[in-house]
Amino acid sequence: MGKKITRKNLKNGVFAFIDLLGFSDRVKRIKTDEDLRKLDDEVVFVQRAFEHKSSDDFVRKSQKIVGKRVLAFSDCVVISVPLHSDLTKLQGTFDVLMSELTSFAIAQGDCVQRGIFLRGGVDLGYWFHRNDTLISPAMVNAYGLEHEACVPMIAISPALCKYLSKHPDRSYYSKDIDPFSKVFKLYRKLPNGQTHWLINYLRICLESVDPVIVGDDRERYLSADADGRDRIRTELWQSACYEWALSHGRIIAEARAKATAASVRLKYEWLANYHNAEVKRFFGKRAKPLLIEEI
């Protein structure tokens, strides 16, 4: 007879399954200690990007108030965020879930900048978690969605899309700052012919770039008046965004050039087109040097 199921163990909310692409093939190709060390470093980086067992006290406290749990299994990370927590009592479920999904996007962007490509699925449903036992239809759906997504992106399920798009708290935002339209985008005719809502990580990452003011720029910033500081910070932000996008495009192009299988190359070509479309939207006339050519 199993133990009694309690509310502490049974939750309902957002469940994500994130996977490191090409992991199995790379494991098979390991020949040296260096190959193993490099792959291990990448797995650890992904886990840290998604805040698995964070050593940061602020992160741990934030996870507790949100009720967020992050588990890691080899190259996979699973994340659960309940609909009901101490924070949702104050901010409501819409803002809390959108913030968490935005954090997925930033984590994905950080990984790509290290040459680590991810694919994932996110669903809305329940999970039962006690000790080493995890039973969840939402996890099963998220896992299936990760495979269906096909390209190096994180897909969200129709159920989650409907919940967030119809959420009453979304009406508090004007059209120009609607977080749903910024975070998610519907992509048709993926390489496998399917259509999915994907997290638009590139747009989120570019808008979230935080410039570091050092050296001569710091001296110039400290000696300027309020208007001058605003102008300097804007210039440095634009420059940081430019460098971020330049690096992002270069890494995708390198991955596509190294791909030997046509099916893998096709996915990087899709990602290159995604990069180009978002870079054009963000930079406008300044986008041309940042585009991935010969797609």
Side-chain angles (χ1 to χ4, degrees):
M1 188 73 177
K3 295 181 180 179
K4 184 179 179 180
I5 295 175
T6 65
R7 288 188 177 184
K8 179 181 178 181
N9 305 121
L10 187 62
K11 305 286 186 179
N12 184 49
V14 165
F15 202 102
F17 181 92
I18 311 294
D19 190 31
L20 196 159
L21 288 183
F23 182 80
S24 297
D25 289 338
R26 290 183 61 186
V27 169
K28 293 176 183 177
R29 295 198 303 268
I30 290 176
K31 295 181 179 179
T32 66
D33 289 349
E34 178 62 19
D35 293 338
L36 178 58
R37 185 199 60 78
K38 184 176 180 181
L39 190 54
D40 177 58
D41 286 347
E42 291 186 9
V43 170
V44 171
F45 186 88
V46 173
Q47 291 175 352
R48 288 177 178 171
F50 286 90
E51 301 178 342
H52 172 63
K53 293 185 177 180
S54 176
S55 59
D56 189 301
D57 187 57
F58 176 79
V59 171
R60 292 200 303 271
K61 289 180 179 179
S62 297
Q63 289 180 347
K64 184 176 181 179
I65 196 173
V66 175
K68 178 179 179 180
R69 300 197 68 172
V70 184
L71 306 175
F73 309 94
S74 186
D75 64 315
C76 305
V77 177
V78 296
I79 306 152
S80 59
V81 182
L83 293 180
H84 303 291
S85 66
D86 291 341
L87 191 58
T88 58
K89 292 176 184 177
L90 300 173
Q91 297 184 1
T93 55
F94 182 78
D95 284 344
V96 170
L97 295 185
M98 290 302 299
S99 176
E100 290 299 328
L101 292 164
T102 297
S103 76
F104 294 174
I106 294 173
Q108 183 177 17
D110 290 343
C111 288
V112 173
Q113 291 288 24
R114 282 281 298 262
I116 305 170
F117 295 91
L118 308 175
R119 191 171 65 200
V122 191
D123 189 32
L124 180 68
Y126 80 84
W127 61 89
F128 170 72
H129 185 205
R130 184 178 60 209
N131 299 327
D132 293 330
T133 300
L134 177 60
I135 302 172
S136 171
M139 183 178 71
V140 173
N141 292 338
Y143 175 78
L145 191 59
E146 181 265 331
H147 284 273
E148 292 177 10
C150 174
V151 292
M153 300 285 282
I154 299 174
I156 67 168
S157 70
L160 179 55
C161 179
K162 182 178 180 180
Y163 177 83
L164 293 171
S165 65
K166 302 296 183 181
H167 199 289
D169 288 359
R170 186 185 176 192
S171 63
Y172 296 151
Y173 293 89
S174 61
K175 187 176 181 180
D176 59 322
I177 60 171
D178 175 23
F180 183 91
S181 300
K182 181 179 75 171
V183 175
F184 308 118
K185 191 171 182 179
L186 183 65
Y187 287 90
R188 306 180 188 276
K189 296 182 179 180
L190 295 174
N192 60 0
Q194 296 193 26
T195 296
H196 285 290
W197 283 92
L198 305 178
I199 295 180
N200 191 358
Y201 81 87
L202 182 51
R203 175 176 182 174
I204 296 168
C205 287
L206 285 172
E207 293 183 354
S208 303
V209 167
D210 189 17
V212 179
I213 305 176
V214 296
D216 293 341
D217 290 326
R218 178 176 174 78
E219 294 298 324
R220 187 162 58 98
Y221 180 81
L222 293 175
S223 62
D225 58 18
D227 290 339
R229 289 187 177 187
D230 287 342
R231 185 171 57 255
I232 292 169
R233 185 168 180 81
T234 298
E235 291 173 357
L236 294 176
W237 175 73
Q238 291 174 339
S239 177
C241 289
Y242 196 86
E243 291 300 320
W244 199 99
L246 188 66
S247 174
H248 185 265
R250 182 177 63 251
I251 289 169
I252 293 173
E254 290 173 353
R256 183 186 59 173
K258 293 177 182 177
T260 55
S263 59
V264 176
R265 190 162 54 250
L266 186 64
K267 295 173 183 178
Y268 286 124
E269 289 173 356
W270 184 95
L271 196 61
N273 283 317
Y274 164 72
H275 167 93
N276 285 354
E278 286 303 312
V279 163
K280 287 178 181 177
R281 183 202 62 79
F282 190 86
F283 290 97
K285 294 180 180 179
R286 297 178 63 228
K288 189 174 181 180
L290 301 172
L291 301 181
I292 302 174
E293 300 179 354
E294 299 178 1
I295 301 173

